[in-house]
Amino acid sequence: MASKPYAKPLPVPDSESTPFWDGMREGKLMLQRCASSGEYLFPAVTFCPGSLERPEWTQASGKGTVFSWIVVRHPVPRDIYADLVPYVVALIDLEEGCRMTGNLVDCAPEDVRAGMPVEIGFNRVTAEITLPAFRPAEG
Amino acid sequence: MFKLRDKYAIAGIGTTDYSKFSGRTVRSLATEACLKAIEDAGLTVADIDGIVSFNFNDSAPAMGVATEMGIVNAGYAVDYAAGGNGANLITLAATAAIEAGLAKNVVCFRAMNGRSGFRLGGGRDMSAYGVTQYTAPLGWITYPQAMAMWARRHMIDFGTTEEHWAEIATTFRDNAVINPRAMQRTPMTKDDYYNSRFIVDPFRMYDICLESDGACAVVITAAEHARDLKQKPVYIMGGAYGGGPSQGDDLFDAIRWPSHSHNCFKYLADDLWGSAGIKPEDVDVAEIYDCFTYSVLMALEGLGFCKDGEGGPFVMDGRIARAGALPVNTHGGLLSEAYIHGFNHVIEAVEQLRGQSGARQIEGAEIALTTAGAMTCGSAMILRN
């Protein structure tokens, strides 16, 4: 049985972000790091803010804590998200010190807490694209 | 810092009707509001040589409106690519243009078919480029979804609750009920607020502003010129534009912002008060950008009306009502008057300072604050009569 084509928004990787999306597809969280400041960067850039150096790509732990989150109950666009609500989008403070975006799964919306430990999971939505989906982790 | 204290004035104001369906082009709304503002000032189109607006590709170009009005030589015709942060930026830009000799009388406008045409909250392209590639594919697409993330963090850091937001929503509705221009004139009780459905937690429907078709315009001219015109001048005492570090590409690009429990106004405050030479306690009426209930708290805290985290308790017990110590959004705001992207706040401030606000007039109002923006970048003005 042919599956329905994926109808939700998809990222368009560019020259800055391709290593991130390649990593996601391979089940790895790849982040940029500034060699001189040691700072990890998300989203991807060409120049490190401040040092203006070229960042290097490195694999991150995928562990972090919940900084903030929302629970989408009213689907927009309606026809595209009606099957998914309620769903959670979160900002995650990664162990490496930067903040990133992701969905939060395997957790009832009402059970999400600030500071809750999470780890990254990989939500493969097409052959090319895998999205970050964090899930609760042992503290 | 803005150095033109009291040298420029708002000499005229104009608005269209605010509605869900204008049935008209955005350009015609803009032209109507501009023509009304010019007439209100006692000027004619022949006197206008500058026109400034801001938009998200959802408006009529300033030059197009100048063309429809028949402006012969629009020496300063500029469209700023800006969202809610732009509403005071364009008026400050007009003073700068006049000071530089680029124009003498500048009309500033914001026009949109925000409900019947391009809906800002209505979703995006299915291909996510730039920073959006990290947000939209997660189902993080609309404005309420973007700002609920900030509102949540304010709750986490400071214990802000829905009671504070309910107070804001119902206070502004009380003001809209007696405002003939307001789109929402049905009274709202606290129960109505609590019974409104959750759209994106922590926001209920009544935490979220309206969507509107309409336009607002003002005429900016030199203070000494304004004194010879038809209306009592409203002087621009001070103003500021900008934000803090990591303002980002767009409203979803706040990922590097230091903390989502404060916004741009913390960074604007010193320039704003310094440029006007006054303090928060000198303000008689505040028209604060309220795309969502919580954004009022961040503006009050950031601008120093109260300490960080005390915005919630500050707004309780009628303090921001018309009879309170600091009346806020006497027109009903974006939540209950209309969403003309904060430019309707400028209109209300001018009417209050002229004493033309009818039943909602704050007696003796001499100094007004207007703000625009709710996240990493914003603008604000101090006006006086």
Side-chain angles (χ1 to χ4, degrees):
Chain A
M1 189 177 82
S3 59
K4 276 197 291 186
Y6 187 76
K8 297 179 174 66
L10 282 169
V12 179
D14 54 38
S15 58
E16 288 172 342
S17 67
T18 294
F20 173 81
W21 294 113
D22 285 350
M24 291 302 295
R25 190 173 58 242
E26 294 160 16
K28 295 187 289 194
L29 173 59
M30 298 300 293
L31 287 181
Q32 290 179 319
R33 181 177 173 276
C34 174
S36 67
S37 72
E39 201 178 330
Y40 285 79
L41 303 166
F42 182 94
V45 291
T46 298
F47 299 96
C48 302
S51 76
L52 305 182
E53 287 179 14
R54 301 297 179 107
E56 57 195 27
W57 285 96
T58 178
Q59 186 173 352
S61 68
K63 292 179 180 167
T65 56
V66 173
F67 173 74
S68 190
W69 76 98
I70 63 168
V71 184
V72 178
R73 296 192 185 274
H74 175 72
V76 183
R78 186 185 295 271
D79 53 334
I80 291 172
Y81 283 99
D83 64 331
L84 205 62
V85 291
Y87 63 91
V88 178
V89 182
L91 287 175
I92 305 297
D93 279 333
L94 293 174
E95 206 171 61
E96 287 79 7
C98 67
R99 194 169 288 152
M100 78 171 277
T101 54
N103 289 115
L104 186 55
V105 299
D106 296 345
C107 180
E110 51 274 19
D111 292 339
V112 184
R113 296 287 178 272
M116 191 171 92
V118 293
E119 62 187 7
I120 199 165
F122 299 92
N123 177 22
R124 185 182 176 88
V125 295
T126 69
E128 293 80 29
I129 296 298
T130 295
L131 300 173
F134 289 86
R135 55 173 61 98
E138 295 300 317
Chain B
M1 192 188 290
F2 180 76
K3 292 177 178 170
L4 304 175
R5 186 189 302 170
D6 297 337
K7 289 184 71 175
Y8 292 92
I10 297 174
I13 55 175
T15 67
T16 64
D17 287 342
Y18 305 145
S19 71
K20 290 182 174 178
F21 183 83
S22 71
R24 300 168 50 181
T25 64
V26 179
R27 194 191 63 234
S28 82
L29 293 170
T31 300
E32 179 187 330
C34 289
L35 290 173
K36 284 178 170 169
I38 293 163
E39 186 187 5
D40 180 62
L43 295 169
T44 69
V45 170
D47 299 310
I48 302 297
D49 53 2
I51 182 163
V52 196
S53 186
F54 68 101
N55 70 76
F56 272 152
N57 294 323
D58 60 347
S59 182
M63 284 192 291
V65 177
T67 300
E68 185 168 25
M69 288 197 293
I71 294 178
V72 175
N73 181 15
Y76 185 73
V78 179
D79 297 291
Y80 281 84
N85 51 316
N88 296 304
L89 164 66
I90 63 169
T91 47
L92 297 175
T95 68
I98 301 170
E99 180 79 8
L102 297 174
K104 285 185 177 157
N105 301 302
V106 178
V107 62
C108 305
F109 74 87
R110 177 65 170 121
M112 60 211 298
N113 275 331
R115 180 63 179 78
S116 70
F118 177 76
R119 297 176 69 182
L120 280 173
R124 297 280 174 91
D125 198 304
M126 291 297 121
S127 296
Y129 297 92
V131 170
T132 309
Q133 69 187 291
Y134 305 105
T135 56
L138 307 172
W140 198 30
I141 294 171
T142 69
Y143 281 36
Q145 292 166 4
M147 294 185 220
M149 201 70 90
W150 294 68
R152 171 88 68 189
R153 194 63 215 183
H154 199 268
M155 301 173 109
I156 295 165
D157 284 342
F158 301 126
T160 300
T161 69
E162 55 194 11
E163 290 183 333
H164 303 131
W165 300 351
E167 184 85 7
I168 292 168
T170 54
T171 300
F172 294 177
R173 180 62 62 87
D174 284 348
N175 296 337
V177 165
I178 56 167
N179 173 5
R181 266 200 303 267
M183 290 174 69
Q184 290 289 358
R185 301 194 60 194
T186 310
M188 183 202 298
T189 64
K190 293 272 172 75
D191 280 346
D192 293 334
Y193 170 87
Y194 287 115
N195 290 332
S196 71
R197 67 195 168 106
F198 278 101
I199 302 296
V200 48
D201 302 7
F203 288 153
R204 291 175 168 85
M205 189 173 75
Y206 286 149
D207 289 306
I208 299 171
C209 72
L210 305 171
E211 296 174 288
S212 311
D213 293 4
C216 301
V218 304
V219 173
I220 309 282
T221 194
E224 62 269 23
H225 183 208
R227 284 190 274 275
D228 297 333
L229 296 178
K230 196 164 98 186
Q231 300 286 352
K232 181 175 175 178
V234 169
Y235 299 98
I236 300 173
M237 288 183 85
Y241 174 76
S246 307
Q247 291 179 33
D249 279 7
D250 66 18
L251 82 165
F252 280 95
D253 190 11
I255 300 164
R256 291 194 175 93
W257 187 252
S259 162
H260 289 57
S261 54
H262 73 264
N263 67 11
C264 54
F265 292 108
K266 196 178 182 71
Y267 300 93
L268 294 184
D270 288 349
D271 277 356
L272 178 68
W273 302 120
S275 65
I278 64 160
K279 296 186 173 70
E281 52 266 35
D282 298 320
V283 171
D284 299 312
V285 58
E287 313 298 352
I288 295 179
Y289 196 83
D290 57 327
C291 47
F292 301 90
T293 45
Y294 86 94
S295 72
V296 175
L297 304 181
M298 287 197 196
L300 291 170
E301 293 169 11
L303 293 176
F305 287 95
C306 58
K307 291 182 181 153
D308 279 356
E310 294 182 358
F314 181 91
V315 301
M316 301 303 286
D317 304 322
R319 185 185 261 142
I320 62 169
R322 291 192 306 280
L326 181 70
V328 175
N329 289 3
T330 43
H331 53 334
L334 305 175
L335 287 167
S336 280
E337 188 198 48
Y339 181 83
I340 313 295
H341 234 157
F343 219 57
N344 46 325
H345 291 45
V346 178
I347 301 290
E348 175 69 9
V350 170
E351 289 195 337
Q352 286 286 347
L353 295 175
R354 287 180 181 175
Q356 295 175 341
S357 291
R360 62 187 193 283
Q361 179 66 43
I362 305 303
E363 284 309 313
E366 295 178 355
I367 294 180
L369 163 73
T370 58
T371 78
M375 293 181 292
T376 66
C377 180
S379 59
M381 284 193 296
I382 305 292
L383 304 174
R384 72 166 179 88
N385 59 19

mmCIF file of all heavy atoms in Angstrom, chain B residues 10 34 45 107 115 139 142 149 170 175 177 185 195 204 206 209 262 271 274 290 316 322-323 346 352 355 361:
data_model
loop_
_atom_site.group_PDB
_atom_site.id
_atom_site.type_symbol
_atom_site.label_atom_id
_atom_site.label_comp_id
_atom_site.label_asym_id
_atom_site.label_seq_id
_atom_site.Cartn_x
_atom_site.Cartn_y
_atom_site.Cartn_z
ATOM 1 N N ILE B 10 3.302 65.360 16.099
ATOM 2 C CA ILE B 10 2.254 64.725 15.307
ATOM 3 C C ILE B 10 1.154 65.761 15.139
ATOM 4 O O ILE B 10 0.551 66.213 16.124
ATOM 5 C CB ILE B 10 1.738 63.450 15.992
ATOM 6 C CG1 ILE B 10 2.885 62.425 16.104
ATOM 7 C CG2 ILE B 10 0.554 62.868 15.211
ATOM 8 C CD1 ILE B 10 2.537 61.180 16.897
ATOM 9 N N CYS B 34 -4.373 58.159 5.171
ATOM 10 C CA CYS B 34 -3.424 59.267 4.951
ATOM 11 C C CYS B 34 -4.158 60.569 4.638
ATOM 12 O O CYS B 34 -3.817 61.626 5.192
ATOM 13 C CB CYS B 34 -2.460 58.925 3.813
ATOM 14 S SG CYS B 34 -1.249 57.653 4.225
ATOM 15 N N VAL B 45 -2.690 67.643 0.280
ATOM 16 C CA VAL B 45 -1.718 66.710 -0.310
ATOM 17 C C VAL B 45 -0.520 67.473 -0.866
ATOM 18 O O VAL B 45 0.621 66.991 -0.818
ATOM 19 C CB VAL B 45 -2.397 65.855 -1.409
ATOM 20 C CG1 VAL B 45 -1.368 65.064 -2.202
ATOM 21 C CG2 VAL B 45 -3.428 64.913 -0.782
ATOM 22 N N VAL B 107 3.872 61.913 5.966
ATOM 23 C CA VAL B 107 2.748 61.096 6.408
ATOM 24 C C VAL B 107 3.269 59.666 6.608
ATOM 25 O O VAL B 107 4.013 59.143 5.777
ATOM 26 C CB VAL B 107 1.550 61.174 5.430
ATOM 27 C CG1 VAL B 107 1.893 60.649 4.050
ATOM 28 C CG2 VAL B 107 0.336 60.462 5.997
ATOM 29 N N ARG B 115 -7.145 40.351 8.108
ATOM 30 C CA ARG B 115 -8.058 39.232 8.305
ATOM 31 C C ARG B 115 -8.519 38.660 6.966
ATOM 32 O O ARG B 115 -8.470 37.469 6.746
ATOM 33 C CB ARG B 115 -9.274 39.668 9.136
ATOM 34 C CG ARG B 115 -10.278 38.557 9.388
ATOM 35 C CD ARG B 115 -9.668 37.440 10.212
ATOM 36 N NE ARG B 115 -10.600 36.349 10.502
ATOM 37 C CZ ARG B 115 -10.928 35.400 9.632
ATOM 38 N NH1 ARG B 115 -10.428 35.410 8.413
ATOM 39 N NH2 ARG B 115 -11.772 34.446 9.979
ATOM 40 N N GLY B 139 6.226 21.974 13.348
ATOM 41 C CA GLY B 139 4.861 22.427 13.605
ATOM 42 C C GLY B 139 4.849 23.679 14.458
ATOM 43 O O GLY B 139 3.883 23.965 15.161
ATOM 44 N N THR B 142 3.007 29.489 13.723
ATOM 45 C CA THR B 142 2.212 30.718 13.823
ATOM 46 C C THR B 142 2.766 31.658 14.899
ATOM 47 O O THR B 142 3.543 31.254 15.763
ATOM 48 C CB THR B 142 0.751 30.395 14.181
ATOM 49 O OG1 THR B 142 0.705 29.910 15.526
ATOM 50 C CG2 THR B 142 0.174 29.351 13.242
ATOM 51 N N MET B 149 6.020 30.439 23.654
ATOM 52 C CA MET B 149 7.296 29.969 24.201
ATOM 53 C C MET B 149 7.874 31.005 25.176
ATOM 54 O O MET B 149 8.439 30.656 26.207
ATOM 55 C CB MET B 149 8.262 29.721 23.046
ATOM 56 C CG MET B 149 9.404 28.800 23.349
ATOM 57 S SD MET B 149 8.898 27.070 23.569
ATOM 58 C CE MET B 149 9.018 26.430 21.900
ATOM 59 N N THR B 170 -9.378 41.429 30.273
ATOM 60 C CA THR B 170 -10.683 42.011 30.617
ATOM 61 C C THR B 170 -10.598 43.531 30.787
ATOM 62 O O THR B 170 -11.547 44.238 30.446
ATOM 63 C CB THR B 170 -11.249 41.369 31.909
ATOM 64 O OG1 THR B 170 -10.277 41.467 32.962
ATOM 65 C CG2 THR B 170 -11.596 39.908 31.686
ATOM 66 N N ASN B 175 -12.199 48.824 28.072
ATOM 67 C CA ASN B 175 -11.925 50.060 27.341
ATOM 68 C C ASN B 175 -12.523 50.006 25.929
ATOM 69 O O ASN B 175 -13.064 50.997 25.436
ATOM 70 C CB ASN B 175 -10.415 50.293 27.254
ATOM 71 C CG ASN B 175 -9.796 50.514 28.622
ATOM 72 O OD1 ASN B 175 -10.482 50.900 29.558
ATOM 73 N ND2 ASN B 175 -8.506 50.253 28.738
ATOM 74 N N VAL B 177 -15.119 48.468 24.947
ATOM 75 C CA VAL B 177 -16.587 48.520 24.975
ATOM 76 C C VAL B 177 -17.099 49.951 24.772
ATOM 77 O O VAL B 177 -18.133 50.168 24.149
ATOM 78 C CB VAL B 177 -17.114 47.908 26.305
ATOM 79 C CG1 VAL B 177 -18.577 48.256 26.545
ATOM 80 C CG2 VAL B 177 -16.920 46.397 26.299
ATOM 81 N N ARG B 185 -16.708 44.951 21.078
ATOM 82 C CA ARG B 185 -17.381 45.844 22.012
ATOM 83 C C ARG B 185 -18.339 45.099 22.935
ATOM 84 O O ARG B 185 -19.138 45.714 23.638
ATOM 85 C CB ARG B 185 -18.104 46.957 21.249
ATOM 86 C CG ARG B 185 -17.114 47.762 20.392
ATOM 87 C CD ARG B 185 -17.702 49.041 19.902
ATOM 88 N NE ARG B 185 -18.091 49.892 21.019
ATOM 89 C CZ ARG B 185 -18.878 50.953 20.900
ATOM 90 N NH1 ARG B 185 -19.360 51.279 19.714
ATOM 91 N NH2 ARG B 185 -19.178 51.680 21.950
ATOM 92 N N ASN B 195 -13.099 30.550 30.119
ATOM 93 C CA ASN B 195 -13.826 29.577 29.301
ATOM 94 C C ASN B 195 -13.407 29.587 27.834
ATOM 95 O O ASN B 195 -13.865 28.749 27.061
ATOM 96 C CB ASN B 195 -15.333 29.823 29.407
ATOM 97 C CG ASN B 195 -15.865 29.471 30.777
ATOM 98 O OD1 ASN B 195 -15.309 28.608 31.462
ATOM 99 N ND2 ASN B 195 -16.932 30.139 31.197
ATOM 100 N N ARG B 204 -4.839 30.904 25.845
ATOM 101 C CA ARG B 204 -6.230 30.734 25.442
ATOM 102 C C ARG B 204 -6.521 31.709 24.293
ATOM 103 O O ARG B 204 -5.732 32.617 24.007
ATOM 104 C CB ARG B 204 -7.163 31.070 26.602
ATOM 105 C CG ARG B 204 -7.134 30.096 27.750
ATOM 106 C CD ARG B 204 -8.026 30.634 28.860
ATOM 107 N NE ARG B 204 -8.284 29.645 29.894
ATOM 108 C CZ ARG B 204 -7.466 29.417 30.913
ATOM 109 N NH1 ARG B 204 -6.338 30.095 31.030
ATOM 110 N NH2 ARG B 204 -7.762 28.506 31.828
ATOM 111 N N TYR B 206 -8.405 34.229 24.258
ATOM 112 C CA TYR B 206 -8.444 35.635 24.665
ATOM 113 C C TYR B 206 -7.091 36.184 25.126
ATOM 114 O O TYR B 206 -6.997 37.318 25.565
ATOM 115 C CB TYR B 206 -9.517 35.856 25.730
ATOM 116 C CG TYR B 206 -10.930 35.812 25.170
ATOM 117 C CD1 TYR B 206 -11.995 35.354 25.939
ATOM 118 C CD2 TYR B 206 -11.193 36.237 23.873
ATOM 119 C CE1 TYR B 206 -13.286 35.310 25.431
ATOM 120 C CE2 TYR B 206 -12.478 36.200 23.362
ATOM 121 C CZ TYR B 206 -13.526 35.733 24.140
ATOM 122 O OH TYR B 206 -14.793 35.705 23.632
ATOM 123 N N CYS B 209 -4.339 38.405 20.115
ATOM 124 C CA CYS B 209 -4.948 39.613 19.559
ATOM 125 C C CYS B 209 -5.871 39.304 18.390
ATOM 126 O O CYS B 209 -5.934 38.183 17.903
ATOM 127 C CB CYS B 209 -3.876 40.599 19.135
ATOM 128 S SG CYS B 209 -2.986 40.089 17.656
ATOM 129 N N HIS B 262 12.467 38.168 29.395
ATOM 130 C CA HIS B 262 12.484 39.613 29.161
ATOM 131 C C HIS B 262 12.655 39.848 27.666
ATOM 132 O O HIS B 262 13.144 38.975 26.944
ATOM 133 C CB HIS B 262 13.566 40.319 29.969
ATOM 134 C CG HIS B 262 14.963 40.074 29.473
ATOM 135 N ND1 HIS B 262 15.782 39.109 30.010
ATOM 136 C CD2 HIS B 262 15.680 40.650 28.485
ATOM 137 C CE1 HIS B 262 16.941 39.113 29.374
ATOM 138 N NE2 HIS B 262 16.909 40.032 28.445
ATOM 139 N N ASP B 271 17.653 54.569 26.778
ATOM 140 C CA ASP B 271 17.599 55.532 25.674
ATOM 141 C C ASP B 271 16.236 56.225 25.622
ATOM 142 O O ASP B 271 16.148 57.429 25.356
ATOM 143 C CB ASP B 271 17.846 54.836 24.336
ATOM 144 C CG ASP B 271 19.333 54.654 24.056
ATOM 145 O OD1 ASP B 271 20.163 55.130 24.866
ATOM 146 O OD2 ASP B 271 19.665 54.032 23.030
ATOM 147 N N GLY B 274 15.938 58.550 28.718
ATOM 148 C CA GLY B 274 16.968 59.565 28.599
ATOM 149 C C GLY B 274 16.651 60.570 27.506
ATOM 150 O O GLY B 274 16.844 61.791 27.684
ATOM 151 N N ASP B 290 0.302 44.908 22.526
ATOM 152 C CA ASP B 290 -0.311 43.758 23.198
ATOM 153 C C ASP B 290 -0.783 42.716 22.197
ATOM 154 O O ASP B 290 -1.950 42.330 22.175
ATOM 155 C CB ASP B 290 -1.477 44.224 24.070
ATOM 156 C CG ASP B 290 -2.541 44.986 23.260
ATOM 157 O OD1 ASP B 290 -2.183 45.674 22.293
ATOM 158 O OD2 ASP B 290 -3.731 44.883 23.584
ATOM 159 N N MET B 316 -2.598 43.991 38.612
ATOM 160 C CA MET B 316 -3.820 43.567 39.312
ATOM 161 C C MET B 316 -4.519 44.733 40.016
ATOM 162 O O MET B 316 -3.956 45.809 40.171
ATOM 163 C CB MET B 316 -3.482 42.467 40.329
ATOM 164 C CG MET B 316 -2.843 41.228 39.718
ATOM 165 S SD MET B 316 -3.827 40.452 38.413
ATOM 166 C CE MET B 316 -5.123 39.688 39.415
ATOM 167 N N ARG B 322 -8.800 52.402 33.464
ATOM 168 C CA ARG B 322 -8.866 53.847 33.200
ATOM 169 C C ARG B 322 -8.768 54.676 34.469
ATOM 170 O O ARG B 322 -8.205 55.757 34.466
ATOM 171 C CB ARG B 322 -10.164 54.185 32.450
ATOM 172 C CG ARG B 322 -10.213 53.659 31.031
ATOM 173 C CD ARG B 322 -11.368 54.268 30.257
ATOM 174 N NE ARG B 322 -12.630 54.101 30.946
ATOM 175 C CZ ARG B 322 -13.363 52.992 30.947
ATOM 176 N NH1 ARG B 322 -12.929 51.919 30.306
ATOM 177 N NH2 ARG B 322 -14.506 52.938 31.598
ATOM 178 N N ALA B 323 -9.310 54.162 35.560
ATOM 179 C CA ALA B 323 -9.267 54.907 36.815
ATOM 180 C C ALA B 323 -8.031 54.572 37.644
ATOM 181 O O ALA B 323 -7.860 55.091 38.748
ATOM 182 C CB ALA B 323 -10.530 54.598 37.632
ATOM 183 N N VAL B 346 -0.574 54.534 18.521
ATOM 184 C CA VAL B 346 -0.116 55.919 18.327
ATOM 185 C C VAL B 346 -1.333 56.835 18.172
ATOM 186 O O VAL B 346 -1.398 57.922 18.766
ATOM 187 C CB VAL B 346 0.813 56.019 17.101
ATOM 188 C CG1 VAL B 346 1.251 57.465 16.882
ATOM 189 C CG2 VAL B 346 2.031 55.112 17.281
ATOM 190 N N GLN B 352 -5.734 60.916 23.193
ATOM 191 C CA GLN B 352 -5.725 61.142 24.646
ATOM 192 C C GLN B 352 -5.060 62.481 24.975
ATOM 193 O O GLN B 352 -5.540 63.232 25.820
ATOM 194 C CB GLN B 352 -4.992 59.998 25.359
ATOM 195 C CG GLN B 352 -5.780 58.688 25.425
ATOM 196 C CD GLN B 352 -6.924 58.735 26.435
ATOM 197 O OE1 GLN B 352 -7.020 59.633 27.270
ATOM 198 N NE2 GLN B 352 -7.819 57.756 26.329
ATOM 199 N N GLY B 355 -7.182 65.372 24.217
ATOM 200 C CA GLY B 355 -8.462 65.410 24.934
ATOM 201 C C GLY B 355 -9.633 65.033 24.058
ATOM 202 O O GLY B 355 -10.755 65.484 24.281
ATOM 203 N N GLN B 361 -11.632 59.088 27.789
ATOM 204 C CA GLN B 361 -10.602 60.098 28.034
ATOM 205 C C GLN B 361 -10.040 59.991 29.454
ATOM 206 O O GLN B 361 -10.787 59.902 30.416
ATOM 207 C CB GLN B 361 -11.197 61.503 27.828
ATOM 208 C CG GLN B 361 -10.205 62.641 28.077
ATOM 209 C CD GLN B 361 -9.073 62.653 27.038
ATOM 210 O OE1 GLN B 361 -9.310 62.477 25.855
ATOM 211 N NE2 GLN B 361 -7.839 62.820 27.512
#
